[in-house]
Amino acid sequence: MPEAKAFASQFVSSQHRDETAELGMWVFIATEVLLFGGLILGYFVYRHAYPAAFAAASRHTDIVIGAANTAILLTSSFLVACAVDAFSAETRKICVALLSGAIVLGLTFVVLKSIEYSDEYREHLIPGIDFNFDAALTNGAQLFFVFYFVATALHALHMLVGVALLAVLATLTYRLPSSRHRAALHSGALYWHFVDVVWIFLFALIYLPGRSS
Amino acid sequence: MTAWRPPLPLVAAWLALIALLGLTVMLAYVPLHMFNAVVALAIGCLKAAIVAAVFMELRHRGRRTFIFAGAGLFWLGILLWLGLMDFLTRT
Amino acid sequence: MNEDNYLNAGFSLRSWFFTTDHKRIAILYFASLIFFFFVGGAAATAIRIELATPQADLVSSDMYNRLFTMHGIIMVWFFLIPSIPNTLGNFMVPLMIGARDLAFPRLNLLSWYLFMLGGGVTLFAILAGGVDTGWTFYTPFSTLYSNSYVTVAVTGVFVSGFSSILTGLNFIVTIHRLRAPGLTWYRLPLFIWSLYATSVILVLATPVLAMTLVLIAVERLLGVGIFDPRIGGDPLLFQHLFWFYSHPAVYIMILPGMGVINELVSCFSRKAVFGYKFVAWASLAIAAIGFLVWGHHMFVAGQSLLASLVFSFMSFIVAVPSAIKVFNWTATLHKGSIHFDAPMLYALAFIGLFTIGGLTGLFLACLAFDVHATDTYFVVAHFHYIMVGGMVTAYFGGLHYWWPKITGRLYSEYWARTAAVLIFFGFNLTFFPQFVLGAEGMPRRYHVYPPEFQVWNVLSSGGAVILAVAYLMPMFYLGYSLFFGRRAPANPWNAPGLEWQTPSPPPEYNFDTQPVVTRPPYQYSPDFEAEPQNA
Amino acid sequence: MWRDWVPFWHPGVSPHGEEVDLLFAGLLLASALVLGLLFFLLALFCVRYRASNTIDRGHRVRKSWHWEVGWTAASFVGFLGLFVWGAGIYFQIYQTPSDELSVFVVARQWMWKVQHNGGQSEINALHIPVDRPIRVVMASQDVIHSFFIPALRLKHDVVPGRYQDIEITAHVPGHYHLFCAEYCGTEHSGMTGEIVVMEAADYAAWLAQQMPSSPLAQEGGALFRELGCSGCHGHGSKVRAPPLEGLYGRPVPLADGSFVTADEKYIRDSILLPRSQIVASYEPVMPSFEGKVSEDQLLRLVVYIKSLGGHSS
């Protein structure tokens, strides 16, 4: 009977193990908040220094793709939350389907993001490689786009990790849903939602400024 | 397949999030001067709060998880507060 | 000695390099840290020899800059930060809280591999040609002007940062979730409290450094970056981000040292730590307030006056909990029954040296004096009193204290005391003259210097020789004890902590039966001699 | 004087140097008291309560909180006093300099280039008259350097991308060290120089003896025409640009309704980042000169514009 050795010896019970794992994920998320925090401080500092350039640069981003990606991520988060709810032996196929939906949406996000990147390349908006902007605002705009590319690339990296994670979880769930996998799915879902939250703020910082002028 | 329906709170949260997204995009085009930024960030915070409370199930968690979730934000606040203090008060 | 312990649970390389046993991982860390300590120490020795004369005679300026950079990077990220947490902490945390392992053993192993990977990459940068930016990587020098291996070195530090984060995460969760039944927060040893505080910093500060290093790499690779003054970027932003990590990092180094001192002082005066709750909360206060003081590195850098004022004030405030600890240790001695074994000698040395380091820290927190003293040898002396006089001394003290538990062997008390005394004198001779140099205005990171500073530099270099010899001594007598030392009983110090309630060395899963705690910590019996051990 | 009694100690020779020395003495005294008390107690306890000593160890202090509160409060109050003392002098050190006599310092790897208003320039040396406040306007051409004169108890970083001005005054004639205190690359430790403090008459003689190419303002004027600035800012030009006569030191109304004082920093920023602060009722048409002028040229332009008259403050 594998259930006897289902949890490592430092734990008292499998529930103890699962709660510990979730706590670990929360600590990891706190770390991640500060990882993006450094970038966000830089963003605010330069937005304060170059308000006009930031507004102008922001207008050059593609709000349609940005908003679509936000909707996509919010929906994928919704699907993942549903998948956590649907995790049980009876409904495991629904759970897998929901996860697959989230994976597809996640990949769509990345694809749209790369389309956006290539558009920006064509518009000469990549600092250091090929940057061409209204001469008067070029400094602030470069700083904006450095922030933009670093932040969104880092976020996209998180997305890819998340997609891989969801794929593994979907496979495990499909094969044999156990309480161990429920905990794993739970932690994976926390991570996915966190990546979603990061994007909510990036969206507000990158796409929205300067639209009204 | 057994009958499974998405729980109501999740659906409600999802709808609210999409609605807020629409709202924030719309308000971005309304000239409010400096309040545009405030509104955008306030709606962002609201959305994040919904995701945290409903999707991340924070509303069902105890004090400890709350502290863990809040610690990152609190220290982010320190970083932004003291970091920006220098740049906002330079002469 | 029990025959069934973690050391003889397997002898293959695989049983070491793929172990998930926190004790074996601690040993892996210990071995790696000795190596890095040696590398960083060699650089320090070369620096001190060069500075014995005012001219350049041993190395070129370029080489000198690479040497102090290597010394800084290796010592900070590959020795001081991981030292106590990853060796003594890794070994002792589960034992002291009555757990069978850390919460995430595989993450713990991954953390060591990341550490080694980061260390390897950094060593490669050094061997390939070195880095000449100083450990602080200040922009725009590091990004636009230095043509050394900055990107590689930054990558190494970046990777090792994740090792720090994972260790911190593991400790936090373990201390929250895996305490033995009855082991409430106020029954925890203070070493655990201080490691908890350390972990909070590791988890919350390190990612900011990681991001900053990424931005440096981006700026170097693309030539356009977020700190580039040519496009209106602000180099001071880099300093803010860097010190947001690197000042709390100083507390990452010293807090575990303070934790060790609590254990030593109470054990060797056979008395509970005075004011337990105050000391416990002082650790957390230091960790929290430590995040509010980073700008005191920038009093002359051109930050706003208000920012300087706030950061100076906070720096004074953070000294209060440190002062509380020093007073409490002293009060612990009162009416104790004091034994002067080697660990206690280290503990007493720590209290003295840390206090000097702390007080001179106040000099530097004091705005007007900092204008004169910053970037001089005064700062160098100050932080060496904290990090070497404080942290490394505590590390040696803790190592001697727990050595019987870790290895199951007893070391030579005579040689241990000799080394402790020698370290104390060598240290003071090395670093006290640097206070004078700094007050007289000798800038740090100077390869050649005006001849009037030579006297003090010669004293310092002479002290460094003594210190180097003294630091080598433990390698010999501790190494000797590994093979020829007497077998250690389970509880050689007759201490009440949980780690002493299991045989030395501990069995693979730490405790044969789950310990249950019913008393507060540090309930020492006055007699020092251990009860007879089972043979 | 008390500072002469301390061996190895060279007293500060600036007005605030004496105060910093006094602060240092105060800090040393406070530390000595704390350390003395601590070491005394440590020694006392170690001897009295050594294990082999049979002494009464009963009646231990159990309730600790009033001790804790006591020393917490004592440290706090002590620290607060030191904070206020240090902060007060700090504000004095970095007070806004008067504009009586200015010199310009351009720092670069690895030298200090000093320019006097009359066109005299020197490398790694700065001659100043005794007892007169000198305003030092500093810029860096490459990395961060730090202008450090130990004898004046004064230091300030020179960050590329902006002007930094500080005031220095020396009471005692003599030669003093000038160091670069911020690590700046290979020859960092060679980036040293000396401050020569001279009597007023000697200083005047020294100035006269130097071979001035031509006054800075004059060279700046030549540059002003060469770079085409006069095309818009000169008299009778077709493009409407703000006049520069009498600009220096005056409050300038900006397009966003705020005012900024036209000091060196403002003029420098207006040349490099013309559109960051638009003068009210003018079109933002000026091109940026970022990367087109060196720090040396820039300061000549600034001095020239300054020489066009203005509020003498």
Side-chain angles (χ1 to χ4, degrees):
Chain A
M1 186 67 200
E3 202 58 28
K5 196 65 192 144
F7 51 91
S9 66
Q10 68 269 31
F11 298 113
V12 183
S13 64
S14 57
Q15 191 198 351
H16 185 209
R17 175 201 63 203
D18 297 346
E19 287 174 9
T20 306
E22 188 188 326
L23 208 60
M25 184 48 87
W26 277 108
V27 178
F28 183 71
I29 287 174
T31 291
E32 291 270 34
V33 168
L34 269 294
L35 182 71
F36 283 93
L39 269 180
I40 291 180
L41 174 66
Y43 171 87
F44 279 122
V45 165
Y46 292 132
R47 182 165 170 181
H48 170 71
Y50 306 99
F54 264 53
S58 169
R59 276 195 297 276
H60 274 76
T61 57
D62 192 332
I63 194 168
V64 178
I65 293 186
N69 262 343
T70 314
I72 286 171
L73 260 195
L74 291 172
T75 310
S76 78
S77 244
F78 168 67
L79 295 184
V80 169
C82 287
V84 171
D85 187 80
F87 183 94
S88 71
E90 306 85 63
T91 55
R92 74 167 206 270
K93 283 189 181 153
I94 298 177
C95 177
V96 171
L98 288 165
L99 285 178
S100 313
I103 291 170
V104 170
L105 287 179
L107 290 174
T108 317
F109 177 97
V110 177
V111 169
L112 282 177
K113 195 78 225 155
S114 40
I115 293 175
E116 201 181 347
Y117 279 169
S118 58
D119 284 349
E120 274 138 9
Y121 176 72
R122 253 175 275 124
E123 290 173 41
H124 312 286
L125 291 176
I126 301 186
I129 294 170
D130 175 20
F131 193 80
N132 198 350
F133 205 82
D134 177 7
L137 300 170
T138 180
N139 282 345
Q142 279 201 68
L143 290 170
F144 175 90
F145 277 101
V146 172
F147 167 81
Y148 165 83
F149 280 108
V150 175
T152 52
L154 189 67
H155 180 266
L157 190 68
H158 278 77
M159 291 290 301
L160 292 176
V161 171
V163 165
L165 204 64
L166 291 185
V168 171
L169 289 168
T171 321
L172 289 175
T173 312
Y174 185 74
R175 280 198 202 139
L176 171 81
S178 73
S179 78
R180 190 189 171 81
H181 298 147
R182 172 195 288 281
L185 177 61
H186 206 118
S187 295
L190 278 182
Y191 176 84
W192 189 258
H193 297 316
F194 167 74
V195 175
D196 185 17
V197 168
V198 171
W199 181 258
I200 288 174
F201 285 104
L202 288 185
F203 177 69
L205 295 179
I206 289 171
Y207 296 91
L208 295 182
R211 295 288 164 187
S212 61
S213 48
Chain B
M1 272 202 185
T2 31
W4 175 89
R5 284 155 185 264
L8 218 52
L10 294 185
V11 179
W14 177 56
L15 290 177
L17 286 169
I18 299 293
L20 282 173
L21 170 63
L23 183 69
T24 193
V25 171
M26 233 165 59
L27 284 178
Y29 286 91
V30 182
L32 301 166
H33 302 290
M34 56 171 293
F35 289 105
N36 277 112
V38 178
V39 166
L41 285 176
I43 293 183
C45 290
L46 188 59
K47 284 198 285 188
I50 293 176
V51 173
V54 185
F55 289 172
M56 295 168 102
E57 299 182 9
L58 210 49
R59 65 201 168 117
H60 297 308
R61 291 293 177 271
R63 205 171 50 141
R64 182 169 55 207
T65 315
F66 253 83
I67 293 174
F68 275 52
L73 294 178
F74 181 73
W75 261 271
L76 175 67
I78 292 179
L79 173 65
L80 295 182
W81 163 48
L82 286 175
L84 283 173
M85 182 180 66
D86 173 22
F87 296 94
L88 298 184
T89 58
R90 292 244 184 103
T91 43
Chain C
M1 179 161 170
N2 68 317
E3 291 312 317
D4 193 17
N5 63 49
Y6 80 98
L7 285 171
N8 55 25
F11 295 97
S12 61
L13 279 180
R14 196 189 150 76
S15 75
W16 281 94
F17 288 107
F18 293 97
T19 181
T20 55
D21 183 348
H22 67 102
K23 298 181 288 301
R24 287 195 163 207
I25 296 173
I27 301 288
L28 290 177
Y29 266 114
F30 182 60
S32 346
L33 286 181
I34 292 178
F35 170 72
F36 284 116
F37 186 62
F38 184 74
V39 175
T45 312
I47 292 169
R48 275 323 320 168
I49 293 174
E50 169 62 52
L51 289 179
T53 66
Q55 322 84 27
D57 19 39
L58 188 65
V59 294
S60 68
S61 289
D62 248 342
M63 187 63 197
Y64 181 83
N65 297 339
R66 283 163 164 73
L67 277 174
F68 76 67
T69 303
M70 163 169 139
H71 172 67
I73 292 178
I74 295 285
M75 284 302 199
V76 168
W77 281 298
F78 298 98
F79 179 70
L80 289 167
I81 285 184
S83 58
I84 293 183
N86 283 331
T87 57
L88 298 178
N90 231 332
F91 201 99
M92 289 300 156
V93 165
L95 283 167
M96 288 171 103
I97 65 172
R100 304 193 76 176
D101 205 325
L102 288 171
F104 309 117
R106 274 177 290 181
L107 220 51
N108 197 16
L109 182 65
L110 174 65
S111 162
W112 181 73
Y113 275 104
L114 287 174
F115 175 74
M116 292 312 281
L117 180 64
V121 172
T122 308
L123 280 180
F124 169 75
I126 287 166
L127 293 178
V131 190
D132 67 350
T133 59
W135 79 280
T136 47
F137 297 117
Y138 267 18
T139 54
F141 179 70
S142 63
T143 49
L144 302 176
Y145 291 89
S146 170
N147 44 23
S148 57
Y149 289 76
V150 180
T151 315
V152 185
V154 156
T155 311
V157 175
F158 177 83
V159 172
S160 77
F162 286 94
S163 154
S164 285
I165 291 174
L166 294 183
T167 301
L169 186 154
N170 223 335
F171 282 177
I172 290 179
V173 175
T174 303
I175 295 170
H176 266 283
R177 300 288 307 170
L178 299 190
R179 300 192 308 273
L183 189 54
T184 57
W185 282 91
Y186 287 132
R187 285 180 183 171
L188 283 174
L190 288 164
F191 181 60
I192 301 295
W193 273 90
S194 62
L195 276 182
Y196 185 83
T198 308
S199 306
V200 170
I201 308 178
L202 282 172
V203 164
L204 293 173
T206 316
V208 177
L209 175 76
M211 196 64 242
T212 314
L213 297 178
V214 167
L215 291 174
I216 287 204
V218 167
E219 188 158 329
R220 270 189 85 85
L221 296 177
L222 292 183
V224 183
I226 223 141
F227 314 114
D228 187 348
R230 294 172 312 180
I231 58 164
D234 194 334
L236 291 198
L237 175 63
F238 170 83
Q239 297 181 20
H240 277 294
L241 291 173
F242 180 81
W243 291 114
F244 181 85
Y245 164 81
S246 294
H247 194 76
V250 175
Y251 300 110
I252 296 177
M253 303 171 201
I254 197 65
L255 275 169
M258 293 169 155
V260 170
I261 297 307
N262 290 312
E263 304 301 312
L264 303 187
V265 166
S266 67
C267 174
F268 293 94
S269 46
R270 318 304 299 165
K271 214 172 145 253
V273 173
F274 188 81
Y276 172 93
K277 288 188 184 177
F278 283 86
V279 179
W281 282 100
S283 292
L284 287 183
I286 290 174
I289 305 172
F291 275 94
L292 307 176
V293 305
W294 81 78
H296 65 213
H297 294 267
M298 300 165 66
F299 287 158
V300 303
Q303 71 179 352
S304 78
L305 285 180
L306 177 73
S308 290
L309 216 56
V310 172
F311 283 124
S312 166
F313 180 72
M314 285 302 179
S315 310
F316 277 103
I317 297 295
V318 79
V320 173
S322 304
I324 292 177
K325 290 194 167 199
V326 170
F327 292 132
N328 276 298
W329 294 324
T330 313
T332 305
L333 297 178
H334 185 241
K335 298 203 171 175
S337 175
I338 302 170
H339 296 262
F340 296 98
D341 294 79
M344 186 59 163
L345 295 186
Y346 282 109
L348 291 171
F350 174 95
I351 297 177
L353 299 179
F354 172 74
T355 308
I356 296 177
L359 286 169
T360 50
L362 293 180
F363 285 51
L364 294 169
C366 197
L367 283 162
F369 185 72
D370 183 76
V371 170
H372 175 62
T374 190
D375 280 320
T376 68
Y377 264 85
F378 196 91
V379 177
V380 177
H382 155 70
F383 70 70
H384 280 91
Y385 263 80
I386 299 285
M387 291 176 196
V388 184
M391 194 339 268
V392 180
T393 304
Y395 186 41
F396 274 78
L399 195 61
H400 284 82
Y401 177 62
W402 281 303
W403 186 259
K405 178 56 62 186
I406 295 171
T407 64
R409 301 280 185 163
L410 297 173
Y411 54 81
S412 155
E413 185 63 31
Y414 171 81
W415 284 107
R417 289 188 202 187
T418 311
V421 172
L422 209 55
I423 287 177
F424 181 77
F425 284 109
F427 174 82
N428 279 303
L429 188 54
T430 310
F431 292 104
F432 198 82
Q434 298 185 1
F435 280 125
V436 183
L437 281 173
E440 292 280 286
M442 176 167 163
R444 63 192 288 201
R445 296 172 168 180
Y446 261 34
H447 176 217
V448 296
Y449 56 85
E452 73 241 40
F453 295 132
Q454 190 178 7
V455 181
W456 299 103
N457 272 303
V458 169
L459 282 179
S460 180
S461 296
V465 174
I466 299 178
L467 191 60
V469 172
Y471 274 147
L472 285 176
M473 284 173 60
M475 273 184 62
F476 292 105
Y477 65 76
L478 288 180
Y480 178 86
S481 83
L482 277 183
F483 302 99
F484 307 107
R486 278 193 297 129
R487 304 270 179 189
N491 191 355
W493 313 114
N494 193 16
L498 282 180
E499 78 269 32
W500 303 107
Q501 313 309 316
T502 190
S504 308
E508 203 179 349
Y509 288 105
N510 294 350
F511 299 96
D512 294 330
T513 51
Q514 172 69 60
V516 176
V517 180
T518 53
R519 306 187 297 170
Y522 305 122
Q523 301 294 304
Y524 280 95
S525 65
D527 44 308
F528 188 62
E529 286 356 294
E531 300 124 44
Q533 301 287 329
N534 304 335
Chain D
M1 219 181 79
W2 66 269
R3 288 181 297 172
D4 300 330
W5 307 339
V6 187
F8 320 116
W9 188 246
H10 304 293
V13 297
S14 58
H16 66 260
E18 193 169 330
E19 300 207 37
V20 174
D21 287 357
L22 192 63
L23 175 68
F24 185 43
L27 284 162
L28 281 177
L29 189 69
S31 309
L33 286 176
V34 173
L35 277 181
L37 178 71
L38 180 77
F39 288 173
F40 170 72
L41 287 176
L42 283 179
L44 181 74
F45 293 162
C46 282
V47 172
R48 241 174 113 85
Y49 301 111
R50 64 187 188 277
S52 56
N53 195 12
T54 47
I55 190 174
D56 176 30
R57 291 184 171 87
H59 313 290
R60 286 180 180 170
V61 182
R62 296 262 173 225
K63 289 269 184 246
S64 63
W65 68 268
H66 47 269
W67 284 98
E68 303 285 354
V69 172
W71 55 54
T72 306
S75 338
F76 182 75
V77 171
F79 294 169
L80 202 64
L82 291 173
F83 163 71
V84 172
W85 190 1
I89 306 174
Y90 182 76
F91 275 95
Q92 239 172 290
I93 297 176
Y94 291 146
Q95 62 187 314
T96 314
S98 68
D99 201 13
E100 199 203 346
L101 184 58
S102 303
V103 294
F104 297 86
V105 172
V106 175
R108 70 164 108 110
Q109 289 176 329
W110 291 278
M111 61 197 262
W112 300 97
K113 186 171 181 194
V114 176
Q115 309 248 243
H116 295 264
N117 255 325
Q120 298 88 344
S121 68
E122 38 187 339
I123 304 282
N124 290 342
L126 169 58
H127 287 72
I128 56 169
V130 73
D131 275 335
R132 270 181 75 184
I134 315 287
R135 179 161 176 246
V136 183
V137 180
M138 306 184 289
S140 165
Q141 207 160 293
D142 35 52
V143 303
I144 303 178
H145 302 276
S146 190
F147 186 79
F148 176 31
I149 310 171
L152 303 187
R153 306 287 184 263
L154 185 74
K155 180 186 291 137
H156 205 292
D157 286 6
V158 190
V159 180
R162 60 159 139 164
Y163 275 161
Q164 186 65 55
D165 51 354
I166 53 171
E167 186 180 277
I168 61 174
T169 314
H171 285 326
V172 186
H175 294 244
Y176 304 102
H177 285 298
L178 163 65
F179 292 127
C180 174
E182 187 62 80
Y183 174 68
C184 58
T186 309
E187 294 300 332
H188 167 56
S189 60
M191 194 167 159
T192 56
E194 61 174 1
I195 307 293
V196 184
V197 182
M198 312 169 97
E199 297 291 353
D202 297 341
Y203 178 69
W206 177 82
L207 271 186
Q209 208 183 56
Q210 295 302 303
M211 288 306 231
S213 41
S214 52
L216 284 189
Q218 201 178 318
E219 293 184 3
L223 266 175
F224 191 75
R225 289 179 289 278
E226 208 175 294
L227 293 168
C229 314
S230 54
C232 301
H233 289 284
H235 292 293
S237 67
K238 273 181 243 151
V239 185
R240 210 172 72 90
L244 302 177
E245 285 77 16
L247 170 72
Y248 186 79
R250 211 167 0 131
V252 178
L254 297 182
D256 62 5
S258 62
F259 282 86
V260 60
T261 305
D263 55 3
E264 281 96 347
K265 284 174 207 157
Y266 168 77
I267 298 174
R268 175 200 161 90
D269 287 349
S270 303
I271 297 170
L272 297 182
L273 307 166
R275 277 174 234 201
S276 63
Q277 291 173 312
I278 309 291
V279 181
S281 77
Y282 285 95
E283 287 298 310
V285 291
M286 175 166 160
S288 163
F289 283 81
E290 179 81 59
K292 300 192 178 79
V293 286
S294 69
E295 287 291 347
D296 275 338
Q297 293 175 314
L298 204 52
L299 80 87
R300 282 170 171 75
L301 284 171
V302 171
V303 173
Y304 170 69
I305 293 170
K306 215 173 139 182
S307 75
L308 294 175
H311 271 38
S312 47
S313 48

